[in-house]
Amino acid sequence: MEAISRFFDGDVWWSFKRSPVTVIAAILAVICILGAVLAPVLAPHNPYDLAEISLLDSNLPPAWEATGNSKFLLGTDQQGRDILSTIMYGSRVSLLVAVCAVGMSIIMGVSLGLVAGYVGGRVDSLIMRIADIQLTFPAILVALLISGIGRQFVPRDMQDAIAIYVIIFSIGLTGWVKYARTVRGSTLVEKSKEYVQAARVIGVSQARIMFSHVLPNVLGPVLVVATLNIAEAIIAEATLSFLGVGMPPTQPSLGTLISEGQNYLFSGEWWITIFPGIALIVMVISVNLVGDWLRDALNPKLR
Amino acid sequence: MLAFVLRRLFQAALVMLVVAFVAFSLFNYVGDPINMMLGQDATPEQKVELREALGLDKPDYVQFAAFVGNAVKGDFGLSLRQARPVSTLIKERLPATLELAFCAAIIALVGGVVMGVYTALNRNGIFSQFLLTISLVGVSLPTFLIGILLILIFAVTLQVLPSYGRGDPTQIGWWSTGFLTTSGLRALVLPSITLSLGTMTLIMRLVRSEMMEVLRTDYIKFARARGLTNQAVNYGHALKNTLVPVMTITGLQLGSIIAFAIVTETVFQWPGMGFLFIQSVQFADIPVMAAYLVLISAVFVTINLIVDLLYYVVDPRLRIEQTSTGH
């Protein structure tokens, strides 16, 4: 209770209230996240329940157009699925992939950065050299190559089933460098502080100093990097799915929906691809704005 | 200097070796190339014959050495889907990608510099604020969505520009160019704009911040005090000094333009190398995938090698660090 009131009295909350753009972005982000997480409860239809969809409802335009049906607010796709519902279910997949991928990047990057910064020497130069090499390739290209080529090592009929793991792995693996660099930098600073020396003097083991003394003190900047990284991961996932090396049509994410809808653009059914696109844009921009604000709010130099 | 160059070369070779190994394992351990090439109803004798002809009965390291040797010569075997040499396929597709990347880079550079200079000089103008807001949105938009939106506006609604392919390219030797026909040029518009936008916003923001920094320096104040015209100060002095970091960043961005060309090519069904790769993934066309993997890595390794060496030439601090730490 006291922690909550301290948070609302604190300057982070104060700077949040003072920035109307951030407040709106945060509200949009929360709506996107809630809509995605609670899709099975909130969605007006279940687009993947064959009993509920009917081909008679296919390709209906949004409800406000003359031939629209008020049952389907944003219209339906070629199989008669409600677009609003597919967007909510799709965002769920997109968010799940993004969060898992970022989680993987954090775990990899933070531990490697911590080890590199604390141990130093050859281990440090090896880890950082690998990071440098990876940075010379654009992240999306690495993810695309891993996802496109990685799936070839699995039999064809299993590829759809493991698609989500392949894509989480490929995006997660490309994101670790930023965390490693951030954490390494702060670890180098923390390492020379007195509490670390004190811990060493009383004989605390290296691993214990690293993970229970240094780690909590270097996690601050990780939060900021992670927020911005979530937006990047959402885009990366959408791009891979759009290219056909991400989520399969049987378990579509926003990118898959956009990719499938693109074929109907020329026959006039723009809503099939544009609405998932707008959902993706809103999600990415709102997360990005919150991340930008967080970076400024937590950085005392900018105040 | 020599040690630095050698170490960078060694590192580049190591990366290429790792990439070649991945490509090789793709070749050898994914599916059974013999079955793929002969079909299911080949006799066992035919299979053994082909296996020997392809050298697949030799030990792995011999095969790997042969693979690397062939790759250096540009020989990646036959495409499984089209039964034509992969090198021919790539040669056909290469001009399309390079022309697209070239146009996108020019648009990004010109547009980015012009908008960057404009927003830096008219810092509080309404149009500058508008450009900055748009660029913020542009950074957040994924490339493929920009492409789809442009198709919706210009190809579907207004019907003024084609939405796919590259028109009727002219063949000059093995190079096919879209620059010489109207249909080729028209087809180039939407894809190159799509591909350029990300880099353009980046260059614009960079030019803007560099320019604002330069405009605050003493030598600009002195130039103004000397009574030079605004034009001479802004373009002759400020812009010139802004362009050095811009050139470096643009060079590095060339890589990401090539990477994002895959996305743009897929949206516009542009018959370039990226589209070839995406198709080969869908049809599990291993030789094409392996060739693309090796080729794109070689491109990036080369770009970075050149940039590293240029840095070394341009920035004397790097040389001092070398000698003092021996690192």
Side-chain angles (χ1 to χ4, degrees), chain A residues 129 133 136-138 140-141 144-145 149 152 156 235 239 242-243 245 258 262 266 274 277 281 284-285 288, chain B residues 11 15 26 30 140-141 144-145 148 152 163 260 262-263 266-267 277-278 281-282 284 289 293 300 304:
Chain A
R129 187 54 55 84
I133 292 176
T136 60
F137 294 87
I140 190 76
L141 183 73
L144 175 67
L145 292 176
I149 290 173
Q152 307 296 332
R156 208 111 241 261
I235 290 188
T239 306
F242 176 80
L243 294 175
V245 292
I258 295 168
Q262 201 203 351
F266 295 97
I274 296 300
I281 296 173
V284 169
I285 293 186
N288 256 338
Chain B
Q11 191 179 317
V15 172
L26 199 61
V30 175
S140 309
L141 276 187
F144 67 95
L145 264 184
I148 290 180
L152 182 66
S163 66
F260 278 104
I262 302 177
V263 182
T266 312
V267 177
F277 173 71
I278 292 296
V281 168
Q282 265 140 27
M289 282 164 67
L293 178 68
F300 274 96
N304 282 293

Side-chain angles (χ1 to χ4, degrees), chain B residues 28-215:
Chain B
N28 271 41
Y29 307 119
V30 175
D32 185 0
I34 302 293
N35 272 347
M36 278 190 217
M37 289 167 99
L38 286 179
Q40 294 294 339
D41 40 60
T43 61
E45 291 80 40
Q46 278 177 313
K47 286 187 183 175
V48 171
E49 207 171 286
L50 185 65
R51 195 172 287 276
E52 274 169 16
L54 292 175
L56 293 180
D57 52 339
K58 298 203 180 76
D60 281 353
Y61 62 91
V62 177
Q63 287 190 42
F64 182 57
F67 175 83
V68 172
N70 285 335
V72 169
K73 281 184 282 178
D75 178 8
F76 287 93
L78 294 177
S79 153
L80 297 180
R81 193 162 73 94
Q82 306 197 20
R84 293 167 58 207
V86 176
S87 50
T88 318
L89 282 178
I90 286 185
K91 229 173 173 182
E92 277 173 13
R93 302 291 194 109
L94 191 65
T97 297
L98 288 183
E99 284 185 359
L100 178 62
F102 175 74
C103 287
I106 298 287
I107 293 177
L109 192 60
V110 174
V113 170
V114 169
M115 289 196 300
V117 169
Y118 179 83
T119 48
L121 293 181
N122 309 283
R123 211 173 313 164
N124 299 316
I126 294 175
F127 191 60
S128 300
Q129 293 302 321
F130 172 74
L131 281 181
L132 281 177
T133 317
I134 290 285
S135 82
L136 195 72
V137 177
V139 171
S140 309
L141 276 187
T143 319
F144 67 95
L145 264 184
I146 296 174
I148 290 180
L149 289 179
L150 287 179
I151 289 183
L152 182 66
I153 296 171
F154 291 101
V156 177
T157 312
L158 299 176
Q159 302 197 333
V160 286
L161 289 167
S163 66
Y164 65 89
R166 57 188 299 228
D168 299 311
T170 327
Q171 204 73 29
I172 304 173
W174 61 272
W175 186 279
S176 70
T177 175
F179 287 146
L180 298 177
T181 55
T182 357
S183 69
L185 286 174
R186 274 160 52 86
L188 202 54
V189 177
L190 292 185
S192 46
I193 291 180
T194 307
L195 187 53
S196 69
L197 280 183
T199 312
M200 192 181 338
T201 44
L202 194 98
I203 294 181
M204 167 188 155
R205 291 171 153 262
L206 184 76
V207 169
R208 178 174 178 270
S209 62
E210 287 285 334
M211 186 98 172
M212 277 162 49
E213 197 124 301
V214 171
L215 285 175

Side-chain angles (χ1 to χ4, degrees), chain A residues 242 253-262 273 276-277 280, chain B residues 144-145 148:
Chain A
F242 176 80
S253 69
L254 287 176
T256 324
L257 293 175
I258 295 168
S259 158
E260 291 193 325
Q262 201 203 351
T273 186
L280 179 68
Chain B
F144 67 95
L145 264 184
I148 290 180

